[in-house]
Amino acid sequence: MTPPSSAPSGAPPLSGLRVLDLATLFAGPMCATMLGDYGAEVVKVEHPTRPDPSRGHGPAKDGVGLWWKVLGRNKRTITLDLSTPGGRDTLLRLAATADVVVENFRPGTLERWGLGWEELSAANPRLVLARITGFGQFGPYSHRPGFGTLAEAMSGFAAATGQPEGPPTLPPFGLADSVAALATAYAVMTALAARGVTGRGQVVDMAIIEPILAVLGPQALWYDQLGYVQPRTGNRSRNNAPRNIYRTADGGWVAVSTSAQSVAERVMHLVGRPELVDEPWFATGSGRADHADELDGAVGGWIARQSCADAIAAFEKAEAAIAPVYDIRDVYADPQYQALGTITEVPDPELGTLRMQNVLFRLSETPGSIRWAGRPHGADTDAVLAEIGMSPADIAALRTEGAL
């Protein structure tokens, strides 16, 4: 049975798009979640006895994994063992009705099961196959198991993150996977746009090590042209100053950024050091970064004498950029996030009302929505297979085979 929809009136922008999510853990499933948030019909395909490990990652409530409630939202869930003959044939039948397949098996796995691009495109020439792996479909590392942590290490992100005297630092969440998910959703929509011209689908080859490298900015060009390797600078930036985290008199923390020259000048006037604006080095971001000790001393000393609320109010009055350092409790209470609807309520039959991050962006005419949270393992198997013409006897035979 399809879960009830609480979507706004009017067809969402990806209504009619059908996505098969064969992936596990984060980058692939998150890509499918993003498509589902804007109306795509997403069918999550999991192994009958080995469900997506994200169901068991992180805290659980009443035995129900909470991460899955976010990652599995707007998805119908079925079980299917793709390595069995019945599972293979059923997946091909499903693919014939789909627009997109998202998978993250090691290269060669689908081919070993007779479900490679040759077979999938024969079943549906308009299909887009998004293949997400740690290292891509070819090259000397393509056979290796790959996770976002390895991409965070290999991309240069970890080497540039952390205190100057400390070790390279990994993020405590799936950063590379999330960036890869965003990139894959973009790639899928690009491939679908191309299909509108050519009438044919194609393969998206996404290596998780690449998107996070792309968002690191000019580091590759700096090295190419100058031999410059960005060092760890803690909360400082080599591009401008003052830019740091500062402690307030009441024990809070605030972040200050002065990427714009005019903002940097206003900050110096605010903290009582206007003479620094007249220094020749103050005229460029890199020049200010070379004098970060002096600038941090001026800004940090002033902020240390203010409460968090007073510092923010003074910066706001001066039209300078500042923000408090939040944890998730503060995000829930913040009036700007509340105005945007960034955290939204989702009814759930297992756990009651849930609060989670809303869809990524707002569209004025065809908004996205969270219609339901992640559903139990295999909850929609019979309904989805019936929709592609399988009888109760057919479904029972697959269960006997162990394919479901």
Side-chain angles (χ1 to χ4, degrees):
M1 178 179 177
T2 302
S5 172
S6 58
S9 59
L14 300 185
S15 179
L17 190 73
R18 186 171 177 127
V19 179
L20 301 181
D21 174 9
L22 314 184
T24 57
L25 292 175
F26 306 117
M30 189 179 294
C31 164
T33 301
M34 293 171 184
L35 299 175
D37 283 351
Y38 291 91
E41 180 196 349
V42 181
V43 176
K44 172 73 175 181
V45 180
E46 298 175 86
H47 191 277
T49 60
R50 298 190 301 276
D52 190 323
S54 66
R55 290 182 181 271
H57 271 52
K61 181 180 179 182
D62 299 335
V64 179
L66 297 177
W67 201 334
W68 167 251
K69 286 296 179 182
V70 178
L71 195 62
R73 71 193 196 188
N74 292 333
K75 299 179 183 180
R76 304 168 75 191
T77 61
I78 72 169
T79 60
L80 200 61
D81 184 346
L82 304 182
S83 68
T84 64
R88 172 193 181 275
D89 293 344
T90 302
L91 193 280
L92 288 175
R93 291 181 65 171
L94 286 166
T97 72
D99 298 283
V100 180
V101 170
V102 181
E103 65 99 359
N104 69 339
F105 299 105
R106 287 199 215 181
T109 301
L110 283 185
E111 285 76 7
R112 188 169 68 250
W113 294 336
L115 290 169
W117 176 238
E118 182 178 348
E119 292 84 3
L120 289 170
S121 61
N124 183 355
R126 292 175 56 81
L127 187 70
V128 170
L129 174 62
R131 315 195 76 168
I132 307 172
T133 56
F135 304 102
Q137 294 294 311
F138 57 91
Y141 302 164
S142 60
H143 66 285
R144 295 181 181 177
F147 298 98
T149 298
L150 309 188
E152 289 147 10
M154 288 182 62
S155 64
F157 172 86
T161 304
Q163 296 300 321
E165 67 280 4
T169 303
L170 295 167
F173 60 94
L175 176 63
D177 278 305
S178 300
V179 175
L182 285 162
T184 307
Y186 168 44
V188 165
M189 297 309 298
T190 302
L192 291 171
R195 186 183 73 174
V197 177
T198 67
R200 300 187 305 276
Q202 59 184 301
V203 176
V204 172
D205 178 6
M206 180 62 67
I208 297 175
I209 59 172
E210 292 184 302
I212 190 170
L213 179 60
V215 302
L216 288 178
Q219 287 191 22
L221 186 59
W222 283 342
Y223 178 71
D224 173 64
Q225 294 296 301
L226 303 172
Y228 175 76
V229 178
Q230 182 171 323
R232 289 188 288 284
T233 57
N235 292 316
R236 287 180 172 177
S237 169
R238 283 298 304 148
N239 304 319
N240 67 85
R243 189 265 197 182
N244 214 325
I245 300 292
Y246 305 96
R247 194 73 183 261
T248 62
D250 54 355
W253 294 93
V254 292
V256 171
S257 177
T258 58
S259 294
Q261 181 70 21
S262 59
V263 173
E265 293 174 4
R266 289 197 289 270
V267 169
M268 289 301 103
H269 283 277
L270 171 64
V271 302
R273 297 296 303 277
E275 76 279 3
L276 294 177
V277 175
D278 298 325
E279 295 287 346
W281 50 261
F282 196 89
T284 64
S286 57
R288 298 197 308 274
D290 289 337
H291 292 78
D293 286 344
E294 185 173 5
L295 294 173
D296 272 346
V299 176
W302 184 88
I303 288 176
R305 299 189 295 273
Q306 319 297 319
S307 70
C308 186
D310 287 346
I312 291 172
F315 266 70
E316 185 173 351
K317 184 177 180 181
E319 298 184 4
I322 191 171
V325 176
Y326 279 173
D327 64 24
I328 191 61
R329 294 168 293 186
D330 304 306
V331 170
Y332 268 78
D334 183 83
Q336 182 61 33
Y337 280 125
Q338 290 174 359
L340 294 174
T342 307
I343 302 294
T344 190
E345 292 188 347
V346 182
D348 181 70
E350 290 185 285
L351 298 177
T353 299
L354 308 175
R355 290 187 293 171
M356 65 178 68
Q357 303 97 316
N358 209 337
V359 299
L360 277 173
F361 48 85
R362 288 163 292 282
L363 296 176
S364 62
E365 298 297 327
T366 55
S369 67
I370 303 172
R371 302 179 296 284
W372 61 84
R375 286 169 57 72
H377 182 225
D380 304 292
T381 301
D382 288 21
V384 170
L385 297 187
E387 289 168 6
I388 60 170
M390 299 189 75
S391 68
D394 295 330
I395 296 170
L398 288 173
R399 283 204 168 89
T400 300
E401 181 190 341
L404 297 184

